[in-house]
């Protein structure tokens, strides 16, 4: 995947971890794209020496890019927060022939505990929200592979799995979900002047439903694939 790489594009780069890893293999600085100003601020503080970070919607960014220019396009944990098939089609366009697309993302029932807590919080008082929190997680690995094939890719490898970690309380759960990007976009759905109220309600609801002696479990159920654009 990372042999003789000229350049790379990291979509939904978040705090820049994957973008920076790509910089170890690319001749040019990899480009990271994300819509979150706060997450890009962290990425720039940590990795701006090695990478280029731009604030933009990933679908819009791909539409503006010229065709056949990148060796690698990656998307880590961001597909389901945007428009999956449009991202995959856009990645196909901007990749050079023989270029590779690597995706890892939550599946439909990933992080179901915090997402359920968000639904409960919203049901208690919908007036906190200025917009709907939209997620488009794919249901399974087959759904990801089909979209890649329909876009014109050849699947090189694909796998799935899950990882559970525990946090001590609801406040830590909320902080971790924001920091990792798992709640990407949620901050734009809640009215800014009611954010503190939402946070407090969410913390109460996730603790009430899921707090155990080990803490609150958060399980990422993921799907991943590497595909190549045929020459």
């Amino acid at each position: 995947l990372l042999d003789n790489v000229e350049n790379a594009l990291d979509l939904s780069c978040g705090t820049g971890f994957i973008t920076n890893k790509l910089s170890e293999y690319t001749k040019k600085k990899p480009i990271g794209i994300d819509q979150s100003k706060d997450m890009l601020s962290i990425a720039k503080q940590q990795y701006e020496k090695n990478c280029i970070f731009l604030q933009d919607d990933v679908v819009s960014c791909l539409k503006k890019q010229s065709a056949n220019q990148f060796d690698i396009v990656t998307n880590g944990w961001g597909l389901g927060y945007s428009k999956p098939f449009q991202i995959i089609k856009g990645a196909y366009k901007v990749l050079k022939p023989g270029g590779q697309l690597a995706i890892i993302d939550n599946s439909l029932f990933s992080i179901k505990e915090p997402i359920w807590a968000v639904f409960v919080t919203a049901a208690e008082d919908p007036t906190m929200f200025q917009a709907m929190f939209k997620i488009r997680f794919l249901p399974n690995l087959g759904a990801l592979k089909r979209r890649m094939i329909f876009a014109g890719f050849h699947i090189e490898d694909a796998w799935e799995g899950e990882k559970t970690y525990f946090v001590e309380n609801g406040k830590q759960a909320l902080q971790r979900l924001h920091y990792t990007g798992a709640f990407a976009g949620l901050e734009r759905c809640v009215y800014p002047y009611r954010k503190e109220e939402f946070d407090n309600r969410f913390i109460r609801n996730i603790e009430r439903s899921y707090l155990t002696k080990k803490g609150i479990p958060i399980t990422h159920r993921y799907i991943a694939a590497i595909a190549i654009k045929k020459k």
Side-chain angles (χ1 to χ4, degrees):
L1 177 66
L2 296 173
D3 293 334
N4 194 30
V5 177
E6 181 74 17
N7 55 10
L9 177 66
D10 183 25
L11 303 171
S12 303
C13 66
T15 55
F17 176 80
I18 293 176
T19 324
N20 186 59
K21 292 300 292 184
L22 288 169
S23 73
E24 299 175 11
Y25 303 93
T26 55
K27 297 176 182 177
K28 298 179 180 178
K29 288 184 177 182
I31 300 172
I33 306 293
D34 202 282
Q35 195 169 5
S36 171
K37 181 180 179 180
D38 292 340
M39 298 192 80
L40 285 176
S41 176
I42 297 171
K44 290 176 180 179
Q45 289 174 17
Q46 295 179 321
Y47 307 122
E48 194 167 33
K49 180 180 177 180
N50 303 322
C51 311
I52 297 170
F53 295 106
L54 303 173
Q55 185 179 4
D56 202 351
D57 172 75
V58 292
V59 174
S60 299
C61 174
L62 289 168
K63 289 180 179 178
K64 291 181 287 189
Q65 296 290 326
S66 57
N68 306 319
Q69 60 169 311
F70 292 102
D71 294 299
I72 288 178
V73 174
T74 57
N75 189 295
W77 311 107
L79 197 69
Y81 296 106
S82 185
K83 299 175 181 177
F85 190 52
Q86 288 193 34
I87 290 176
I88 293 169
K89 287 195 301 181
Y92 186 89
K93 183 193 82 170
V94 303
L95 279 166
K96 300 172 185 176
Q100 297 182 86
L101 171 64
I103 292 175
I104 185 168
D105 198 37
N106 293 297
S107 63
L108 182 60
F109 297 105
S110 188
I111 56 171
K112 65 180 182 180
E113 299 88 356
I115 287 177
W116 177 250
V118 170
F119 288 155
V120 172
T121 303
E124 288 178 345
D125 188 354
T127 65
M128 289 187 293
F129 290 78
Q130 60 183 335
M132 294 293 293
F133 183 41
K134 296 180 180 179
I135 52 175
R136 299 180 177 90
F137 294 156
L138 298 179
N140 50 48
L141 182 59
L144 175 59
K145 292 168 65 176
R146 285 192 295 273
R147 283 161 175 76
M148 286 179 152
I149 293 168
F150 290 158
F153 285 101
H154 170 74
I155 305 295
E156 293 280 284
D157 196 7
W159 64 99
E160 58 190 335
E162 64 178 55
K163 175 72 174 180
T164 299
Y165 62 87
F166 287 84
V167 293
E168 292 183 6
N169 52 51
K171 184 177 181 180
Q172 287 188 11
L174 187 64
Q175 291 172 341
R176 181 71 180 266
L177 290 161
H178 277 299
Y179 180 78
T180 60
F183 269 8
L186 182 61
E187 65 275 11
R188 295 189 298 274
C189 297
V190 178
Y191 283 107
Y193 70 93
R194 301 193 68 181
K195 182 181 182 301
E196 183 177 356
E197 179 187 356
F198 170 84
D199 289 352
N200 291 334
R201 285 174 178 264
F202 172 86
I203 289 167
R204 182 194 65 203
N205 286 326
I206 197 168
E207 288 182 346
R208 182 170 58 190
S209 298
Y210 298 107
L211 184 60
T212 68
K213 291 181 179 179
K214 291 181 65 176
I216 297 172
I218 299 177
T219 301
H220 289 272
R221 298 165 180 87
Y222 64 86
I223 51 179
I226 298 171
I228 187 169
K229 179 176 178 177
K230 299 176 184 178
K231 295 182 179 180

